[in-house]
């Protein structure tokens, strides 16, 4: 399963999918838990064990390092490079260099220290998120009191990125058919997964064993100390909630004010995560379908058309594209086939503000034989620019996911057996999401993590945020994480879209701002709509 960075607001409508990588994309894999520090015999009922409070002497040089800040990006932002051990079990074996950015507090009130932000992914650039949104778009009161800080996790963006395919290879990869109709197409899909994995292993051999979520969380503790903060204040979205919860499990006494928005459930295995996210996208699609038929330009049905019928119409359209891709006006000659079209639709499920754009794109594709709109949505999801260049989002996503959990399936036969369950969870997306869950089966590095609970006993109050119709991190995941964390307060947004903070709810924003600025968590079981 892939989770993408959280969609950022404000942003142009075309830039829809920003952070959590949906299970529908080709590179999908299990989304999360990594745990080299889970208690012995780790299983779903195991608990992430806290690390000793004392810093090991071998790590002291990292905790004592000084960052050398320089101007970067927009005015007011500073950047630096931080070192962390490539292998925490063998600190002397070498370093990994991590990109850090900050924007100093702008107000005159009492400083509250640093506020670390992460948009999710895994693979989303936290530095990019800070410079493009959080450092300028978070509430003025929060930016006045906190130094806004981000670090790209190891293997991501500016922090020694995992590298696999080049742009042309990625173009081919993202167009691979993920709903194989026969043995030949199944073999082609498996071959694509194997080639991608082999390429990552060839280009990033040094990193692939050391990009787990546990290691990224330990890097954050070094950053906390280097910044001079006694405790870590943190806002994580989507996969960023798993990263933050992992930090809390490892260092419960060092948790400051922590917000986990669009929460993941670390107790689930890969198959459960993929199946849950499949159901989440179906929930979001049902909401889109109900909205679509209220508009005269809905190409999938009119008033009185049921969501199931809307889904049937969309699936029939995907079937036509599978047989006959349509022109998309692409400079590199790509056409819109089923895989790219499905990704484009899923990209729009992250944010209800994109539904109008999706209707327009579907109209163009279904009535005018023009796939440009859906291709643009797909490209935004994959972070592909007009020159055919991809960020390393999808590569880092697979690298982290495949290390954090054993694969959902080990071969095509298991996928075929699971298809009925996935298609029941989502008649529209289930087949593609089941096959997309196969990619970690061929990863060149064995998983080091396992499903586990995170309790973080002794941590300060942690705010867990869940959205009832979130497509990518289904609401039950937030409920589960809130039950696991010993000090959690669950804050619920009754609505659509992925994550809730900064998306227009004054109730949600007010509760989180009050917590960040004054340390007062929301009332138990608080709900906003």
């Amino acid at each position: 399963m892939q989770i993408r960075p959280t969609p950022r607001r404000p942003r142009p409508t075309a830039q829809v999918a920003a952070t959590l990588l949906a299970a529908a994309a080709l590179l999908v894999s299990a989304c999360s838990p990594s745990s080299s520090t889970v208690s012995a015999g780790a299983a779903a009922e195991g608990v992430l064990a806290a690390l000793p409070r004392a810093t090991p002497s071998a790590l002291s040089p990292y905790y004592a390092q000084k960052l050398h800040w320089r101007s970067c990006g927009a005015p007011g932002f500073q950047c630096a490079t931080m070192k962390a051990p490539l292998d925490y079990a063998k600190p002397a074996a070498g370093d990994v260099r991590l990109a850090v950015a900050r924007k100093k507090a702008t107000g005159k009130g009492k400083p509250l220290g640093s506020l670390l932000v992460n948009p999710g992914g895994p693979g989303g650039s936290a530095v990019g998120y800070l410079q493009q949104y959080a450092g300028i778009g978070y509430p003025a009161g929060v930016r006045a009191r906190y130094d806004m800080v981000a670090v790209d996790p190891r293997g991501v963006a500016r922090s020694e990125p995992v590298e696999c395919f080049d742009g042309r290879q990625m173009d081919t990869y993202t167009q691979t058919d993920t709903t194989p109709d026969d043995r030949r197409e199944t073999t082609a899909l498996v071959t694509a997964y194997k080639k991608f994995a082999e390429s990552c292993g060839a280009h990033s051999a040094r990193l692939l064993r050391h990009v787990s979520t546990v290691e990224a969380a330990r890097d954050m503790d070094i950053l906390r100390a280097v910044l001079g903060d006694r405790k870590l204040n943190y806002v994580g979205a989507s996969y960023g909630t798993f990263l933050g919860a992992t930090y809390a499990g490892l260092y419960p006494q060092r948790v400051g004010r922590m917000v986990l928005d669009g929460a993941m459930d670390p107790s689930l295995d890969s198959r459960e995560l993929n199946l849950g996210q499949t159901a989440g996208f179906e929930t979001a699609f049902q909401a889109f379908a109900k909205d679509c038929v209220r508009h005269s330009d809905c190409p999938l049905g009119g008033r009185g058309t049921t969501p199931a019928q809307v889904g049937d119409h969309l699936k029939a359209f995907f079937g036509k594209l599978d047989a006959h891709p349509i022109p998309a006006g692409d400079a590199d000659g790509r056409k819109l086939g089923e895989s790219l079209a499905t990704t484009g639709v899923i990209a729009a499920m992250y944010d209800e503000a994109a539904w109008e754009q999706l209707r327009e794109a579907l109209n163009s594709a279904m009535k005018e034989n023009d796939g440009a709109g859906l291709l643009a949505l797909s490209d935004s999801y994959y972070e592909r620019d007009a020159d055919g260049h991809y960020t390393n989002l999808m590569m880092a996503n697979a690298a982290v996911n495949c290390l954090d959990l054993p694969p959902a399936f080990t071969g095509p036969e298991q996928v075929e057996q699971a298809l009925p369950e996935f298609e029941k969870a989502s008649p529209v997306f289930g087949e593609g999401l089941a096959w997309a869950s196969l990619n970690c089966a061929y990863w060149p590095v064995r998983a080091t993590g396992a499903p586990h609970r995170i309790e973080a006993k002794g941590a300060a109050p942690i705010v867990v945020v869940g959205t009832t119709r979130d497509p990518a991190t289904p609401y039950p995941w937030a409920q589960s994480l809130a039950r696991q964390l010993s000090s959690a307060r669950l804050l619920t947004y009754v609505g659509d879209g992925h994550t809730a903070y900064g998306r227009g709810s004054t109730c949600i924003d007010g509760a989180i701002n009050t917590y960040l600025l004054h340390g007062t968590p929301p009332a138990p079981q608080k709900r906003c709509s």
Side-chain angles (χ1 to χ4, degrees):
M1 173 178 69
Q2 293 173 305
I3 295 194
R4 286 189 54 90
T6 326
R8 307 159 189 166
R9 292 193 179 192
R11 72 193 186 289
T13 307
Q15 297 173 353
V16 171
T19 303
L20 184 88
L21 286 170
L26 183 63
L27 306 188
V28 179
S29 69
C31 60
S32 73
S34 139
S35 73
S36 56
T37 55
V38 176
S39 50
E45 60 271 15
V47 178
L48 183 66
L51 292 171
R53 295 193 188 188
T55 301
S57 58
L59 298 180
S60 295
Y62 295 102
Y63 277 80
Q65 68 185 293
K66 302 294 182 182
L67 297 184
H68 301 287
W69 297 100
R70 62 189 185 279
S71 297
C72 65
F77 287 95
Q78 297 175 307
C79 292
T81 300
M82 186 185 83
K83 292 182 180 180
L86 176 67
D87 183 350
Y88 276 91
K90 301 176 182 178
D95 301 332
V96 59
R97 299 168 66 86
L98 307 176
V100 181
R102 74 177 179 186
K103 189 175 185 183
K104 298 283 287 182
T106 58
K108 297 181 180 179
K110 181 181 178 181
L112 295 174
S114 304
L115 180 63
L116 189 65
V117 297
N118 184 283
S125 172
V127 171
Y129 177 73
L130 176 72
Q131 294 179 335
Q132 297 167 25
Y133 173 60
I136 56 177
Y138 265 37
V142 174
R143 290 182 287 114
R145 304 284 298 281
Y146 284 101
D147 291 346
M148 301 293 295
V149 179
V151 55
D152 279 348
R154 51 178 61 204
V156 174
R158 300 164 178 83
S159 293
E160 298 194 20
V162 170
E163 296 179 348
C164 305
F165 279 170
D166 62 24
R168 289 195 175 277
Q169 291 171 318
M170 281 296 293
D171 279 349
T172 300
Y173 188 52
T174 58
Q175 294 176 79
T176 304
D177 187 352
T178 54
T179 57
D181 300 316
D182 52 35
R183 188 55 55 194
R184 180 183 62 80
E185 291 185 352
T186 300
T187 299
L189 178 60
V190 168
T191 299
Y193 286 143
K194 288 180 176 178
K195 286 183 177 179
F196 180 80
E198 290 168 0
S199 180
C200 295
H203 291 94
S204 300
R206 176 177 179 269
L207 274 174
L208 287 191
R209 289 178 174 82
H210 299 290
V211 292
S212 71
T213 297
V214 163
E215 289 164 311
R218 298 190 70 172
D219 296 341
M220 292 199 308
D221 195 58
I222 293 178
L223 179 59
R224 172 202 58 79
V226 170
L227 293 172
D229 293 316
R230 189 171 63 88
K231 295 191 174 185
L232 180 79
N233 302 309
Y234 178 84
V235 177
S238 193
Y239 161 81
T241 66
F242 176 61
L243 180 58
T246 299
Y247 180 91
L250 295 175
Y251 308 101
Q253 304 299 329
R254 297 175 189 171
V255 172
R257 298 171 188 178
M258 179 173 283
V259 177
L260 306 178
D261 183 12
M264 290 181 56
D265 182 356
S267 71
L268 301 178
D269 63 27
S270 298
R271 190 176 185 279
E272 293 169 327
L273 286 165
N274 280 282
L275 188 60
Q277 198 178 60
T278 299
F281 276 100
E282 181 64 22
T283 297
F285 179 76
Q286 295 270 325
F288 164 76
K290 292 176 182 177
D291 178 77
C292 186
V293 299
R294 298 189 184 106
H295 297 270
S296 60
D297 65 342
C298 180
L300 299 170
R303 291 185 181 275
T305 307
T306 67
Q309 290 171 326
V310 171
D312 289 341
H313 295 159
L314 181 61
K315 193 169 183 180
F317 173 61
F318 287 158
K320 292 179 180 179
L321 292 177
D322 188 26
H324 302 288
I326 63 176
D330 180 59
D332 295 310
R334 292 177 301 158
K335 289 187 175 183
L336 183 75
E338 181 184 18
S339 293
L340 293 177
T342 303
T343 302
V345 172
I346 281 183
M349 294 299 101
Y350 281 89
D351 186 353
E352 67 275 19
W355 290 356
E356 179 180 1
Q357 183 185 359
L358 177 57
R359 289 198 313 273
E360 294 173 354
L362 286 169
N363 259 308
S364 295
M366 297 175 74
K367 296 181 179 181
E368 301 172 14
N369 209 45
D370 179 1
L374 283 173
L375 183 62
L377 285 167
S378 178
D379 284 349
S380 73
Y381 182 91
Y382 286 123
E383 293 195 355
R384 180 195 192 273
D385 64 24
D387 295 325
H389 175 263
Y390 292 77
T391 69
N392 93 310
L393 170 66
M394 304 305 293
M395 304 170 205
N397 180 269
V400 176
N401 284 336
C402 296
L403 192 62
D404 273 353
L405 279 181
F409 304 113
T410 58
E413 297 78 12
Q414 290 186 355
V415 178
E416 291 168 352
Q417 293 172 2
L419 282 176
E421 190 174 13
F422 275 75
E423 291 180 310
K424 181 180 179 180
S426 176
V428 178
F429 304 119
E431 181 184 6
L433 297 186
W435 283 107
S437 306
L438 181 62
N439 77 317
C440 283
Y442 310 105
W443 202 244
V445 176
R446 291 179 62 86
T448 58
H452 56 271
R453 293 172 53 82
I454 300 179
E455 297 179 353
K457 292 181 178 180
I462 297 172
V463 176
V464 176
V465 187
T467 298
T468 56
R469 293 187 294 276
D470 189 317
T473 48
Y475 182 63
W477 293 0
Q479 294 175 302
S480 178
L481 182 61
R483 287 192 297 267
Q484 294 171 47
L485 293 169
S486 61
S487 62
R489 291 284 181 90
L490 178 63
L491 176 61
T492 299
Y493 176 58
V494 181
D496 298 294
H498 177 47
T499 73
Y501 186 42
R503 291 175 49 83
S505 169
T506 56
C507 176
I508 290 289
D509 292 355
I512 293 177
N513 293 340
T514 297
Y515 169 67
L516 290 176
L517 293 173
H518 305 291
T520 305
Q525 303 302 317
K526 181 177 178 64
R527 295 173 72 86
C528 298
S529 59

